[in-house]
Amino acid sequence: MIITMKQGSKPKDIAVVAEKIKGLGYKPHISKGKDVTIIGMIGDYAEKYKDAFESMEVVEHVSEIQKPYKLASRDFKKENTIVKVSRNVEIGGKKIHVIAGPCAIETKEQMVTTAKIVKDAGATIIRGGAYKPRSSPYAFQGLGEKGLKYLNESGSKLHMPTISEAMTVEQVEIVAKYCDIVQIGARNIQNYDLLKAAGKQTKPVLLKRGMAITIKELLLSAEYVLSQGNYSVILCERGIRTFETATRFTMDLNAVPVIKKLSHLPVVLDPSHGIGIREHVGTMAKACIAVGADGLIIEVHPQPELALSDGHQSLLPDQFKALMKDLDLVAKAVGRELLD
Ligand code: PEP
Ligand code: MN
């Protein structure tokens, strides 16, 4: 249920409504828009209190949200959400942020070198996996906390925010300690305890769509994080599994306009995992921007032939540099900004 406050309502009016919600055993979700404040009251049987709130002098009106996801839906919040990361980086505004770096953090030197390369080319967020969800138990599993320290050092040195994946509830706290964004990967997107843990901490969370989940299920996963009080959620399309085997996954570009209609949350696209073929990553990255991405994830490695994970889809430094200039042109053509 959404409670829309009267225009110009004061903090004390909002507090009165929030207290009433708490008194009934629900959690108030407050969203302050440009002109009006809306308060979400979500939970079983919340609708039975509709009249009790509608009759309050400070309330404009009360409406029900029909969708199964509530806080993630456009019905709850009309304006696009802009997620504030750190170091003045905001995802969801005019600027498109490119998140770049290696698939996995391998050594301190590899992390620091790659971070410098992607920053010089115009990336604004550094990525690197320390806890790696590998299909094979015999493949490189990541450096764990030691890797996160290398990523954190790179971010501090270059004044850039960082992102890395957490695969377990325990890892959420560790990743949040060293990084500015906590990533939940495609394979764990329906691990509901993990989503709740990500929602209980305060760093922004990037949710990668699972390879076999629907847009509705992705939005319900986002709802898990939002429902815990963490409203800094970024959605990520990274390709889904279809009958096609010529590419690693099938990039669902349809998802972008559809999600943007259904939800106010920013959408980042990952063409590296989406197509999984180095030669075509650039072409798909341009398409991602044209279709409305708020950010991109691109894997880059100084020596992809030696990479311990996803070398086949990682761009060489010069390829990344050239691509960023092309992406800037596409961004401008669709009324966005990319390079400073
Ligand atoms: C990644 O970004 O490193 C990754 C493992 O991606 P996904 O969860 O989309 O497979
Ligand atoms: Mn990867």
Side-chain angles (χ1 to χ4, degrees), residues 155-195:
S156 303
K157 204 165 149 195
L158 300 171
H159 309 288
M160 287 170 85
T162 56
I163 176 169
S164 199
E165 176 170 351
M167 294 199 297
T168 65
V169 169
E170 297 71 38
Q171 288 167 8
V172 168
E173 201 182 319
I174 309 173
V175 171
K177 177 174 155 197
Y178 293 104
C179 299
D180 300 286
I181 307 174
V182 177
Q183 175 173 320
I184 305 294
R187 290 156 190 82
N188 280 307
I189 195 64
Q190 290 184 308
N191 178 337
Y192 302 116
D193 282 344
L194 183 58
L195 295 170

Coordinates of all heavy atoms in Angstrom, one line a residue, residues 155-195:
G155 N 41.5 1.1 -5.6 CA 40.5 2.2 -5.5 C 41.0 3.4 -4.8 O 40.8 4.5 -5.3
S156 N 41.7 3.2 -3.7 CA 42.1 4.3 -2.9 C 43.2 5.1 -3.7 O 43.2 6.3 -3.7 CB 42.8 3.9 -1.6 OG 41.9 3.1 -0.9
K157 N 44.1 4.4 -4.3 CA 45.2 5.0 -5.0 C 44.6 5.9 -6.2 O 45.1 7.0 -6.5 CB 46.1 3.9 -5.6 CG 47.5 4.3 -5.9 CD 48.3 3.1 -6.1 CE 49.5 3.4 -7.1 NZ 50.1 2.3 -7.5
L158 N 43.6 5.3 -6.9 CA 43.1 6.0 -8.1 C 41.8 6.8 -7.8 O 41.3 7.4 -8.7 CB 42.8 5.0 -9.1 CG 44.0 4.1 -9.6 CD1 43.5 3.0 -10.5 CD2 45.0 5.0 -10.4
H159 N 41.4 6.9 -6.5 CA 40.2 7.6 -6.1 C 39.0 7.2 -6.9 O 38.3 8.0 -7.5 CB 40.4 9.1 -6.3 CG 41.7 9.6 -5.7 ND1 41.8 9.7 -4.3 CD2 42.8 10.0 -6.2 CE1 43.0 10.2 -4.0 NE2 43.7 10.3 -5.1
M160 N 38.8 5.9 -7.0 CA 37.7 5.3 -7.7 C 36.9 4.3 -6.8 O 37.5 3.6 -6.0 CB 38.2 4.5 -8.9 CG 38.7 5.4 -10.0 SD 39.5 4.3 -11.2 CE 38.1 3.8 -12.2
P161 N 35.6 4.3 -6.9 CA 34.8 3.3 -6.2 C 35.1 1.9 -6.8 O 35.5 1.8 -8.0 CB 33.4 3.7 -6.5 CG 33.4 4.9 -7.2 CD 34.8 5.2 -7.7
T162 N 34.8 0.9 -6.0 CA 35.1 -0.5 -6.4 C 33.8 -1.4 -6.2 O 33.0 -1.1 -5.4 CB 36.2 -1.1 -5.5 OG1 35.8 -0.9 -4.1 CG2 37.5 -0.3 -5.7
I163 N 33.8 -2.5 -6.9 CA 32.7 -3.5 -6.8 C 33.3 -4.9 -6.8 O 34.2 -5.2 -7.6 CB 31.7 -3.3 -7.9 CG1 30.6 -4.3 -7.9 CG2 32.3 -3.3 -9.3 CD1 29.4 -4.0 -8.7
S164 N 32.7 -5.8 -6.0 CA 33.1 -7.2 -6.1 C 31.9 -8.0 -5.6 O 31.0 -7.5 -4.9 CB 34.3 -7.4 -5.2 OG 35.0 -8.6 -5.5
E165 N 32.0 -9.3 -5.9 CA 30.8 -10.2 -5.6 C 31.0 -10.9 -4.3 O 32.0 -11.3 -3.8 CB 30.8 -11.3 -6.7 CG 29.7 -12.3 -6.5 CD 29.4 -13.3 -7.6 OE1 30.0 -13.0 -8.8 OE2 28.7 -14.2 -7.4
A166 N 29.8 -11.0 -3.6 CA 29.7 -11.8 -2.4 C 28.8 -13.0 -2.7 O 27.8 -12.9 -3.3 CB 29.1 -11.0 -1.3
M167 N 29.3 -14.2 -2.4 CA 28.5 -15.4 -2.7 C 27.8 -16.0 -1.5 O 26.9 -16.8 -1.6 CB 29.5 -16.5 -3.2 CG 30.1 -16.2 -4.6 SD 30.7 -17.6 -5.4 CE 32.0 -18.2 -4.2
T168 N 28.2 -15.6 -0.3 CA 27.6 -16.1 0.9 C 27.2 -15.0 1.9 O 27.7 -13.8 1.7 CB 28.5 -17.0 1.7 OG1 29.6 -16.2 2.2 CG2 29.1 -18.2 0.9
V169 N 26.3 -15.3 2.8 CA 25.9 -14.3 3.8 C 27.2 -13.7 4.5 O 27.3 -12.5 4.7 CB 24.9 -14.9 4.8 CG1 24.7 -14.0 6.0 CG2 23.6 -15.3 4.2
E170 N 28.1 -14.5 4.9 CA 29.3 -14.1 5.6 C 30.1 -13.1 4.7 O 30.8 -12.2 5.2 CB 30.2 -15.3 6.1 CG 29.6 -16.2 7.0 CD 28.5 -17.1 6.4 OE1 28.6 -17.5 5.2 OE2 27.4 -17.3 7.1
Q171 N 30.2 -13.4 3.5 CA 31.0 -12.6 2.6 C 30.4 -11.2 2.3 O 31.2 -10.3 1.9 CB 31.2 -13.3 1.2 CG 32.1 -14.6 1.3 CD 32.0 -15.4 0.0 OE1 31.4 -15.1 -1.0 NE2 32.7 -16.6 0.1
V172 N 29.2 -11.0 2.6 CA 28.5 -9.7 2.3 C 29.3 -8.7 3.2 O 29.7 -7.6 2.7 CB 27.0 -9.7 2.7 CG1 26.5 -8.3 2.7 CG2 26.3 -10.6 1.6
E173 N 29.5 -9.0 4.4 CA 30.1 -8.0 5.4 C 31.6 -7.8 4.9 O 32.1 -6.6 5.0 CB 30.1 -8.6 6.8 CG 30.3 -7.6 7.8 CD 30.3 -8.2 9.2 OE1 29.4 -9.1 9.5 OE2 31.1 -7.8 10.1
I174 N 32.3 -8.8 4.5 CA 33.7 -8.7 4.1 C 33.8 -7.8 2.8 O 34.6 -6.9 2.8 CB 34.3 -10.0 3.9 CG1 34.1 -11.0 5.1 CG2 35.8 -9.9 3.6 CD1 34.6 -12.4 4.9
V175 N 32.9 -8.1 1.9 CA 32.9 -7.3 0.6 C 32.6 -5.9 0.9 O 33.2 -5.0 0.4 CB 32.0 -8.0 -0.5 CG1 31.9 -7.0 -1.7 CG2 32.5 -9.3 -0.9
A176 N 31.6 -5.7 1.8 CA 31.1 -4.3 2.1 C 32.2 -3.5 2.8 O 32.3 -2.3 2.7 CB 29.9 -4.3 2.9
K177 N 33.1 -4.2 3.5 CA 34.2 -3.6 4.2 C 35.2 -3.0 3.3 O 35.8 -1.9 3.5 CB 34.8 -4.6 5.2 CG 36.0 -4.1 6.0 CD 36.5 -5.2 7.0 CE 37.9 -5.0 7.3 NZ 38.5 -6.1 8.0
Y178 N 35.5 -3.7 2.2 CA 36.6 -3.3 1.3 C 36.1 -2.6 0.0 O 36.9 -2.0 -0.7 CB 37.4 -4.6 0.8 CG 38.2 -5.2 1.9 CD1 37.7 -6.4 2.6 CD2 39.3 -4.6 2.4 CE1 38.5 -6.9 3.6 CE2 40.1 -5.2 3.4 CZ 39.6 -6.3 4.0 OH 40.4 -6.9 5.0
C179 N 34.8 -2.8 -0.3 CA 34.3 -2.3 -1.6 C 33.1 -1.3 -1.4 O 32.5 -1.2 -0.4 CB 33.8 -3.4 -2.5 SG 35.0 -4.6 -2.8
D180 N 32.9 -0.5 -2.5 CA 31.8 0.5 -2.5 C 30.5 -0.1 -2.9 O 29.4 0.5 -2.6 CB 32.2 1.7 -3.3 CG 33.5 2.3 -2.8 OD1 33.4 2.9 -1.7 OD2 34.6 2.1 -3.4
I181 N 30.5 -1.1 -3.7 CA 29.3 -1.8 -4.2 C 29.4 -3.3 -4.0 O 30.4 -3.9 -4.3 CB 29.0 -1.5 -5.7 CG1 29.0 0.0 -6.0 CG2 27.6 -2.1 -6.1 CD1 28.9 0.3 -7.5
V182 N 28.3 -3.9 -3.4 CA 28.3 -5.4 -3.2 C 27.6 -6.0 -4.4 O 26.4 -5.6 -4.7 CB 27.6 -5.7 -1.9 CG1 27.5 -7.2 -1.8 CG2 28.3 -5.1 -0.7
Q183 N 28.2 -6.9 -5.1 CA 27.6 -7.5 -6.3 C 27.0 -8.9 -5.9 O 27.7 -9.7 -5.2 CB 28.7 -7.7 -7.4 CG 28.2 -8.5 -8.6 CD 29.2 -8.5 -9.7 OE1 29.8 -7.5 -10.0 NE2 29.4 -9.6 -10.4
I184 N 25.8 -9.2 -6.3 CA 25.2 -10.5 -6.1 C 25.2 -11.1 -7.5 O 24.6 -10.5 -8.4 CB 23.8 -10.5 -5.5 CG1 23.8 -9.7 -4.1 CG2 23.3 -11.9 -5.3 CD1 24.6 -10.3 -3.0
G185 N 25.8 -12.2 -7.7 CA 26.0 -12.8 -9.0 C 24.8 -13.5 -9.6 O 23.8 -13.9 -8.8
A186 N 24.8 -13.8 -10.9 CA 23.7 -14.5 -11.5 C 23.3 -15.8 -10.9 O 22.1 -16.2 -10.8 CB 24.1 -14.7 -13.0
R187 N 24.3 -16.5 -10.4 CA 24.1 -17.9 -9.8 C 23.5 -17.8 -8.4 O 23.0 -18.8 -7.9 CB 25.3 -18.7 -9.8 CG 25.8 -19.1 -11.2 CD 27.3 -19.4 -11.3 NE 27.6 -19.5 -12.7 CZ 27.9 -18.5 -13.5 NH1 27.8 -17.3 -13.1 NH2 28.2 -18.7 -14.8
N188 N 23.5 -16.6 -7.8 CA 23.0 -16.5 -6.4 C 21.8 -15.6 -6.3 O 21.4 -15.2 -5.2 CB 24.1 -16.0 -5.5 CG 25.1 -17.1 -5.1 OD1 24.6 -18.2 -4.6 ND2 26.4 -17.0 -5.4
I189 N 21.3 -15.2 -7.4 CA 20.3 -14.1 -7.4 C 19.0 -14.5 -6.7 O 18.1 -13.7 -6.3 CB 20.0 -13.6 -8.8 CG1 19.3 -12.2 -8.7 CG2 19.3 -14.6 -9.7 CD1 20.0 -11.1 -8.1
Q190 N 18.8 -15.8 -6.5 CA 17.6 -16.3 -5.8 C 17.9 -16.9 -4.5 O 17.2 -17.7 -3.9 CB 16.7 -17.2 -6.7 CG 16.1 -16.4 -7.8 CD 15.1 -17.2 -8.6 OE1 15.5 -18.2 -9.1 NE2 13.9 -16.7 -8.8
N191 N 19.1 -16.6 -3.9 CA 19.5 -17.0 -2.6 C 18.9 -15.9 -1.6 O 19.5 -14.9 -1.5 CB 21.0 -17.1 -2.5 CG 21.5 -17.5 -1.1 OD1 20.8 -17.3 -0.1 ND2 22.7 -18.0 -1.0
Y192 N 17.8 -16.2 -1.1 CA 17.0 -15.1 -0.4 C 17.7 -14.7 0.9 O 17.6 -13.5 1.3 CB 15.6 -15.6 -0.2 CG 14.9 -15.8 -1.5 CD1 14.5 -17.1 -1.9 CD2 14.9 -14.8 -2.5 CE1 14.0 -17.4 -3.2 CE2 14.4 -15.1 -3.8 CZ 13.9 -16.3 -4.1 OH 13.4 -16.6 -5.4
D193 N 18.4 -15.6 1.6 CA 19.2 -15.2 2.8 C 20.3 -14.2 2.4 O 20.6 -13.2 3.1 CB 19.7 -16.4 3.5 CG 18.7 -17.1 4.4 OD1 17.6 -16.5 4.6 OD2 18.9 -18.3 4.8
L194 N 20.9 -14.5 1.3 CA 22.0 -13.6 0.8 C 21.4 -12.2 0.5 O 22.0 -11.2 0.8 CB 22.6 -14.3 -0.4 CG 23.8 -13.6 -1.1 CD1 25.0 -13.4 -0.1 CD2 24.3 -14.4 -2.3
L195 N 20.3 -12.2 -0.2 CA 19.7 -10.9 -0.6 C 19.3 -10.1 0.7 O 19.5 -8.9 0.8 CB 18.4 -11.2 -1.4 CG 18.7 -11.8 -2.8 CD1 17.4 -12.2 -3.5 CD2 19.5 -10.8 -3.7

